């Protein structure tokens, strides 16, 4: 049985969790609690040498990196609807283009904004480094504007790379939740991105909301504070 | 005819240049001079909406992101030796694991070390921001240690993910050249990485050196200064 190791506070963990639930790939879900540092144990190091989530174990085969895991599952599991990773080579290449683009253009600034503005001050007890927050905010806003004005520019497709939803959309949506926990609404003032976000949730619910229960609690809690 | 747009000062441009030369995929090489801001023209924007290199145009199909381009070429071109992207699914997944890992773990700190230590001071005329250099240097050294002690740990394989060379190795080697231009030898004190680097050059030469003529000139020039 395939084992999936995850923590729902991790963006790519949530994306794979939603993908696995929607596609009903048979899998055992194994929670690794990052807050309890369960990823730093020797036991988990034997599962993933990089000691990060998400990762999988399939028989004796170990694999990390969400996008690599996604591609491996597409190739080795039957019955996954084609829209998640189209077989037509040019359409597939456009999904790949986003999957590679997002690492530094989307994930990095969104995660770093969340960390510098919210996570690091809480865990270190030190004041917010406002200069770093400003720098990541600027990068993040450039990135969000590129999603709104370049990726979602075409009227021929409803999703980032394709007409129907692909894994690119789920991965991106999960990354865009992270800054909301630090009080920044990534969708406000971006109408195309807002509509796209609603479509992603519509296609993937109830699993999208299920993956975001804790994240949404943090967002609600911080709305009043920030 | 496939068109490949590149500048040899860009790490992923060099990796694809070497891959295209070694595999002899029929292609027209189109130089985009970043120093002359040729990527910022309207003419080039019509080729790549993100105005970055590398990118390709195949008939009327446009694609950016080096890893996505690599995968598209593997799927659409015949006669590429299997070692570059193994067909066996688990071996392929391990190449994918590195291709996804490298964006933030290798490319980012190496590129940012080079930029903050060397490129930004030259172009802005401002003094080096030593705090940022130190931060990226630390990230970079963690990353280089992970290559040495985790990726190259197994004695069963001579390359990062596989027994024979794959695209993962070429992409990584090109990223590791960048900090050398800022006077940091990424291989010094890392014997496994040094031997791996020699193997990568051995398999890909004369094209590896051909792609690094200008980079090597900068490295030589700055050796005496730094």
């Amino acid at each position: 049985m395939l084992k999936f190791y995850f923590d729902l506070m991790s963006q790519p963990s949530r994306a794979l969790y939603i993908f696995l639930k929607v596609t009903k790939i048979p899998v055992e879900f194994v929670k690794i609690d990052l807050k309890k540092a369960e990823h730093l144990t020797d036991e988990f190091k034997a599962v993933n040498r990089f000691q990060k989530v998400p990762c999988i174990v399939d028989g004796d085969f170990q694999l990390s990196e969400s996008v690599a895991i996604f591609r491996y599952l597409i190739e080795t599991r039957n019955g996954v609807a084609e829209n998640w990773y189209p077989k037509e080579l040019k359409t597939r290449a456009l999904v790949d283009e986003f999957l590679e683009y997002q690492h530094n253009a989307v994930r990095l600034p969104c995660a770093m904004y969340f960390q510098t503005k919210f996570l690091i001050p809480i865990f270190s007890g030190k004041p917010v480094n406002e200069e770093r927050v400003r720098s990541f905010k600027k990068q993040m806003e450039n990135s969000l504007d590129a999603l709104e004005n370049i990726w979602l520019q075409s009227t021929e497709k409803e999703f980032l790379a394709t007409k129907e939803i692909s894994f690119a959309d789920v991965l991106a949506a999960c990354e865009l939740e992270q800054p909301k926990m630090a009080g920044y609404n990534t969708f406000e003032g971006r109408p195309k991105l807002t509509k796209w976000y609603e479509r992603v949730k519509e296609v993937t619910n109830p699993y999208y909301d299920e993956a975001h229960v804790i994240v949404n609690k943090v967002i609600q809690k911080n709305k009043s504070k920030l």
Side-chain angles (χ1 to χ4, degrees), chain A residues 54 96 126 141 178 182 216:
Chain A
D96 278 346
K126 288 181 187 167
E141 293 187 328
Q178 218 72 354
N216 283 331

Side-chain angles (χ1 to χ4, degrees), chain A residues 153-197:
Chain A
Q153 185 185 29
S154 164
T155 51
E156 282 171 34
K157 54 184 181 60
E158 297 228 295
F159 291 93
L160 287 170
T162 43
K163 284 185 187 174
E164 288 182 83
I165 194 168
S166 78
F167 185 63
D169 300 288
V170 182
L171 198 61
C174 292
E175 294 293 346
L176 298 191
E177 298 287 352
Q178 218 72 354
K180 287 162 72 181
M181 290 194 281
Y184 183 94
N185 188 338
T186 35
F187 299 101
E188 205 176 293
R190 297 185 178 91
K192 286 179 201 162
L193 203 60
T194 303
K195 279 181 194 157
W196 161 83
Y197 177 53

Side-chain angles (χ1 to χ4, degrees), chain A residues 5 12 23 38 53 77 81 90 94 116 162 167 173-174 176 186 201 213:
Chain A
Y5 297 81
T23 56
E38 287 179 359
V53 288
R77 265 58 193 177
K90 286 176 183 160
L94 294 175
T116 49
T162 43
F167 185 63
C174 292
L176 298 191
T186 35
K201 286 197 289 187
V213 167

Side-chain angles (χ1 to χ4, degrees), chain A residues 14-202:
Chain A
R14 296 198 296 271
L16 279 174
Y17 177 95
I18 294 162
F19 172 71
L20 287 164
K21 290 271 180 177
V22 171
T23 56
K24 306 198 192 307
I25 290 173
V27 58
E28 182 187 334
F29 288 88
V30 186
K31 170 90 192 277
I32 298 297
D33 196 327
L34 300 178
K35 258 206 330 284
K36 293 185 189 158
E38 287 179 359
H39 58 306
L40 300 179
T41 63
D42 285 345
E43 195 188 340
F44 187 65
K45 195 176 182 177
V47 169
N48 175 12
R49 56 192 172 156
F50 300 107
Q51 300 187 269
K52 291 192 297 186
V53 288
C55 66
I56 60 166
V57 176
D58 188 23
D60 60 357
F61 181 64
Q62 304 180 337
L63 191 64
S64 66
E65 290 296 327
S66 55
V67 178
I69 293 169
F70 161 72
R71 286 201 178 94
Y72 175 75
L73 293 175
I74 286 288
E75 296 298 336
T76 57
R77 265 58 193 177
N78 295 320
V80 176
E82 205 192 306
N83 61 280
W84 294 105
Y85 199 44
K87 286 201 170 71
E88 196 280 313
L89 294 176
K90 286 176 183 160
T91 317
R92 173 167 289 201
L94 294 175
V95 175
D96 278 346
E97 186 179 47
F98 186 83
L99 292 176
E100 301 304 322
Y101 169 89
Q102 56 83 29
H103 287 284
N104 281 315
V106 182
R107 173 172 172 73
L108 181 78
C110 289
M112 291 310 293
Y113 178 82
F114 166 69
Q115 287 183 29
T116 49
K117 175 93 183 177
F118 181 76
L119 207 61
I120 295 172
I122 284 179
F123 281 93
S124 69
K126 288 181 187 167
V128 174
N129 183 332
E130 295 293 353
E131 196 195 323
R132 292 200 81 203
V133 170
R134 260 196 308 277
S135 163
F136 288 124
K137 189 180 178 191
K138 198 178 155 193
Q139 281 182 53
M140 177 174 73
E141 293 187 328
N142 287 341
S143 163
L144 295 169
D145 291 344
L147 293 178
E148 175 80 8
N149 300 318
I150 304 180
W151 289 96
L152 292 170
Q153 185 185 29
S154 164
T155 51
E156 282 171 34
K157 54 184 181 60
E158 297 228 295
F159 291 93
L160 287 170
T162 43
K163 284 185 187 174
E164 288 182 83
I165 194 168
S166 78
F167 185 63
D169 300 288
V170 182
L171 198 61
C174 292
E175 294 293 346
L176 298 191
E177 298 287 352
Q178 218 72 354
K180 287 162 72 181
M181 290 194 281
Y184 183 94
N185 188 338
T186 35
F187 299 101
E188 205 176 293
R190 297 185 178 91
K192 286 179 201 162
L193 203 60
T194 303
K195 279 181 194 157
W196 161 83
Y197 177 53
E198 294 305 324
R199 287 194 288 270
V200 172
K201 286 197 289 187
E202 201 183 304

